[in-house]
Amino acid sequence: MTEKTTVPWPSAAMAAAILAGLWIASRGNYLLFHTATEMFSVLVSGGIFVIAWNARRFPTSPYLLFIGIAHICVGGVDLLHAMAYKGMGVFPGSGPNLPTQLWITARYIQSISLFMAPLFIGRTFRPGATLVAYLAVTATLIAAIFGGIFPPCFEEGTGLTPFKIGSEYFISVIFLAALAFLRRKREFFDRRIVNILSAAIVLMAMAELAFTIYEDVYGLSNLVGHLLKVAAVFLIYKGTVETSLTRPYDLLFRELKESEEKFAKAFHTAPTIMVITSLAEGRYLEVNETFENTLGWQREEVLGRASREMGIWVDQEQRDEIMGTLERGEKVLNRDVTLRKKQGETIEGLYSAVGIELDNRKCLLGIVRDVTARRRAEREVKLLNAELTQRAQMLEDTNGELEVTVEQLEAVNQELEAANKELEAFSYTVSHDLRSPLTNINGAAQVIQELFGQELDPQCERLVDIIHRETLRMNRLIDTLLRFAHISRGEISPEAVDLSALAKEVAGELQARHPQRQVSFAIAGNLTTHGDPRLMKIILDNLFGNAWKYTGTQEAAHIEFGTILQGDKPVFFVRDNGVGFNMADAHRLFLPFQRLNTEASFKGEGIGLATVARIVQRHGGRIWAEGEKGKGATFYFSL
């Protein structure tokens, strides 16, 4: 059904009857006509204010509330204008200048208010403070008029002053600007209301143009101007009454519908699994396209069913524990879960969920990031590291005890070369196959924030921000992993290296990046070794950086670099007085992606010490650590 955009015939007939009655009255007694038109405008302006003010707690448009507040002042000034008109005798000896000044004041207030009103669309303002401000400005203008400060608008024997004529033209321009501004914001209104208000503004502009040419207060142009003003005020009343009283929820439902459509689009096209389930029964109320594509279940197959009966959660105890956390009103962020596809295969994911309310029903919005490829990659890296370490140890153990044939060495070299090729292929997979979906996820999160950020509720906005930050973190992990792989297989160019000089350089860089930290360094002199200078710098960067990070909570932080002798071989060490660690966990220190301190204040990816260990191993040395919780740590390495 096509929506009407014109004034219904009963209202049009009423308006025509009012205008016809006023025109007939002007033929017999112009003063009666003027008084009737102005009083009609005053009453309508008062009605606009009363209705808009009392409907301010309804979901009405701030635009219409602002217009209503302005019209109580417009109506008040128009009332004074009617009483001051020629022949009324309310203000003896005032002459035609006083009503003309009051008229132009009312029109300035009305036009500027209509121009400013679109600024409040989609925003909130304080109605009480706005009303007080309007009353204060109006009172000041009236005082200026009666105090003789306001510029004259009509002079006996001359007629309208240049100020009055110029003001009418200027006010007409303001009305037209208000019209353009309103039309630009028309998507926030019902089409019918926009057309009614647009017609009112056009009539007000035409009325002002009519008042620029009149020479007598009882003249024809004055008559036309007042009739146009009556019609305009009637239309403003029609628009505000219909929106604020008769149909107060139209705008709200329109905005809700648009918001729902945008949320639905973001929900269904999100590159992560998203589901909405009932909190009590755990039944699926909605799933997105990624859920269907990843798990193989179609939307129609899962809606109304519970994940428990479908066997989607591999670990039901874990699912029950997570649901218990959510039922207590707590959030769940990035929990490792394993989900089963329709075909029986499994995926590994990071599960996050928050409680929401839909139709007075407690529900959950759950998000699962598929990290199957990431977890598989981590396991492959660990397995490859273990295999290479085992082979290196076997060669070391058999050195001097078994005679290794050329064929055996060739076989080992071929296996190592194949392992390196597998590592290169894996690096390509990480850099390409993992980066591509991450880029898509990150891009989608940014699009949601840019297009719908102002319309998302705080929970959704927080979840989108988590998606964005976690994809950036995953990207950093990939970069770190690639650098680690490169260090593991890059060529070594050994030469004499001054470790003392390198250590002083690293310490200077740390102090330059963090000038607010007060850290003392004790670096022994004349410490040299034979190794790859670039890799030696990476060793010291990581060990000093590790010490710098974990002494961050100490008021008097201290980092020492020195050497001891084990037998006839030098062993270098980096010692700090930081948070330390439990020696029971020492075996995890040099494994990739293992972090003993997971507090937010100690940021990192868990790859630095693994990188150091790999470099030391490639130089034929060993590395170990000693520490105590709360009493610092010492990292030893030999080359």
Side-chain angles (χ1 to χ4, degrees), residues 623-639:
I623 183 170
W624 69 98
E626 297 176 357
E628 186 176 350
K629 197 73 173 178
K631 294 186 178 180
T634 304
F635 287 84
Y636 299 92
F637 67 94
S638 63
L639 300 171

Side-chain angles (χ1 to χ4, degrees), residues 7-18 234:
V7 179
W9 71 264
S11 298
M14 182 185 301
I18 293 172
F234 175 80

Side-chain angles (χ1 to χ4, degrees), residues 84-288:
Y85 208 71
K86 181 180 178 180
M88 292 294 291
V90 178
F91 301 104
S94 61
N97 182 51
L98 178 60
T100 310
Q101 288 176 314
L102 291 166
W103 169 270
I104 208 70
T105 298
R107 302 291 75 75
Y108 265 121
I109 295 173
Q110 190 175 38
S111 61
I112 292 174
S113 299
L114 286 169
F115 177 75
M116 292 174 58
L119 296 174
F120 297 98
I121 294 176
R123 302 180 183 179
T124 58
F125 66 95
R126 297 171 60 186
T130 304
L131 177 60
V132 170
Y134 260 100
L135 292 174
V137 171
T138 303
T140 301
L141 291 172
I142 292 173
I145 291 172
F146 283 94
I149 302 174
F150 198 86
C153 295
F154 191 93
E155 295 179 354
E156 293 286 355
T158 304
L160 298 178
T161 64
F163 171 76
K164 167 62 165 61
I165 297 173
S167 292
E168 298 285 12
Y169 283 120
F170 183 58
I171 290 170
S172 298
V173 172
I174 297 176
F175 275 126
L176 294 177
L179 173 64
F181 207 175
L182 173 64
R183 301 300 295 185
R184 284 184 59 185
K185 299 282 188 175
R186 61 184 178 273
E187 69 272 11
F188 292 93
F189 293 93
D190 181 86
R191 184 188 305 173
R192 184 168 177 271
I193 301 303
V194 172
N195 288 344
I196 289 175
L197 293 175
S198 298
I201 295 174
V202 170
L203 291 176
M204 291 299 301
M206 293 172 60
E208 292 308 304
L209 294 176
F211 286 120
T212 61
I213 59 175
Y214 82 89
E215 298 178 357
D216 180 66
V217 293
Y218 296 151
L220 176 63
S221 62
N222 207 344
L223 169 68
V224 173
H226 278 90
L227 291 176
L228 291 173
K229 179 196 171 189
V230 167
V233 172
F234 175 80
L235 290 177
I236 293 176
Y237 175 80
K238 183 69 178 172
T240 54
V241 168
E242 191 153 323
T243 302
S244 300
L245 191 62
T246 309
R247 299 161 63 187
Y249 291 93
D250 278 5
L251 179 61
L252 174 67
F253 291 154
R254 178 189 180 96
E255 292 176 347
L256 283 177
K257 183 178 179 181
E258 291 177 353
S259 297
E260 289 174 357
E261 290 175 351
K262 290 178 180 178
F263 174 78
K265 183 177 181 181
F267 177 88
H268 285 289
T269 59
T272 56
I273 296 174
M274 297 183 71
V275 300
I276 298 176
T277 60
S278 58
L279 181 59
E281 307 90 2
R283 298 189 180 278
Y284 289 108
L285 303 178
E286 190 58 270
V287 298
N288 69 348

Side-chain angles (χ1 to χ4, degrees), residues 154-455:
F154 191 93
E155 295 179 354
E156 293 286 355
T158 304
L160 298 178
T161 64
F163 171 76
K164 167 62 165 61
I165 297 173
S167 292
E168 298 285 12
Y169 283 120
F170 183 58
I171 290 170
S172 298
V173 172
I174 297 176
F175 275 126
L176 294 177
L179 173 64
F181 207 175
L182 173 64
R183 301 300 295 185
R184 284 184 59 185
K185 299 282 188 175
R186 61 184 178 273
E187 69 272 11
F188 292 93
F189 293 93
D190 181 86
R191 184 188 305 173
R192 184 168 177 271
I193 301 303
V194 172
N195 288 344
I196 289 175
L197 293 175
S198 298
I201 295 174
V202 170
L203 291 176
M204 291 299 301
M206 293 172 60
E208 292 308 304
L209 294 176
F211 286 120
T212 61
I213 59 175
Y214 82 89
E215 298 178 357
D216 180 66
V217 293
Y218 296 151
L220 176 63
S221 62
N222 207 344
L223 169 68
V224 173
H226 278 90
L227 291 176
L228 291 173
K229 179 196 171 189
V230 167
V233 172
F234 175 80
L235 290 177
I236 293 176
Y237 175 80
K238 183 69 178 172
T240 54
V241 168
E242 191 153 323
T243 302
S244 300
L245 191 62
T246 309
R247 299 161 63 187
Y249 291 93
D250 278 5
L251 179 61
L252 174 67
F253 291 154
R254 178 189 180 96
E255 292 176 347
L256 283 177
K257 183 178 179 181
E258 291 177 353
S259 297
E260 289 174 357
E261 290 175 351
K262 290 178 180 178
F263 174 78
K265 183 177 181 181
F267 177 88
H268 285 289
T269 59
T272 56
I273 296 174
M274 297 183 71
V275 300
I276 298 176
T277 60
S278 58
L279 181 59
E281 307 90 2
R283 298 189 180 278
Y284 289 108
L285 303 178
E286 190 58 270
V287 298
N288 69 348
E289 295 175 3
T290 304
F291 176 95
E292 296 178 295
N293 297 333
T294 303
L295 298 180
W297 295 92
Q298 295 302 307
R299 178 174 177 271
E300 295 76 13
E301 296 178 281
V302 300
L303 294 188
R305 300 178 64 186
S307 60
R308 178 184 293 274
E309 68 181 71
M310 298 172 63
I312 290 180
W313 287 73
V314 173
D315 188 343
Q316 288 296 333
E317 293 183 359
Q318 181 189 45
R319 182 252 177 212
D320 294 340
E321 186 270 328
I322 290 176
M323 292 303 114
T325 301
L326 292 167
E327 287 173 356
R328 293 192 298 271
E330 302 174 17
K331 301 173 186 175
V332 172
L333 292 177
N334 295 330
R335 295 286 295 273
D336 286 304
V337 298
T338 304
L339 303 180
R340 183 178 289 108
K341 296 183 180 182
K342 182 179 180 181
Q343 297 80 7
E345 302 173 358
T346 60
I347 68 165
E348 297 176 67
L350 293 178
Y351 179 82
S352 301
V354 293
I356 60 175
E357 190 168 309
L358 294 177
D359 298 327
N360 297 320
R361 184 181 186 183
K362 290 184 178 181
C363 303
L364 294 177
L365 174 63
I367 299 176
V368 180
R369 286 195 296 129
D370 185 358
V371 294
T372 306
R374 170 183 167 183
R375 293 287 188 260
R376 185 183 299 117
E378 291 174 357
R379 288 191 292 269
E380 289 178 357
V381 169
K382 290 179 181 179
L383 180 61
L384 184 59
N385 287 339
E387 290 178 353
L388 292 176
T389 302
Q390 183 180 12
R391 291 188 179 280
Q393 187 63 44
M394 290 174 59
L395 289 175
E396 183 178 346
D397 293 341
T398 57
N399 185 31
E401 299 178 3
L402 296 174
E403 183 178 353
V404 181
T405 65
V406 175
E407 291 78 8
Q408 290 174 320
L409 289 175
E410 183 64 27
V412 171
N413 286 334
Q414 289 178 355
E415 291 181 7
L416 289 175
E417 184 178 352
N420 282 329
K421 288 182 179 179
E422 290 179 5
L423 186 58
E424 291 177 1
F426 165 71
S427 299
Y428 175 80
T429 300
V430 169
S431 62
H432 183 271
D433 294 349
L434 287 184
R435 282 186 191 276
S436 179
L438 275 178
T439 302
N440 294 336
I441 295 171
N442 191 30
Q446 292 184 30
V447 169
I448 293 173
Q449 287 177 324
E450 292 174 2
L451 295 183
F452 315 118
Q454 296 181 349
E455 301 165 12

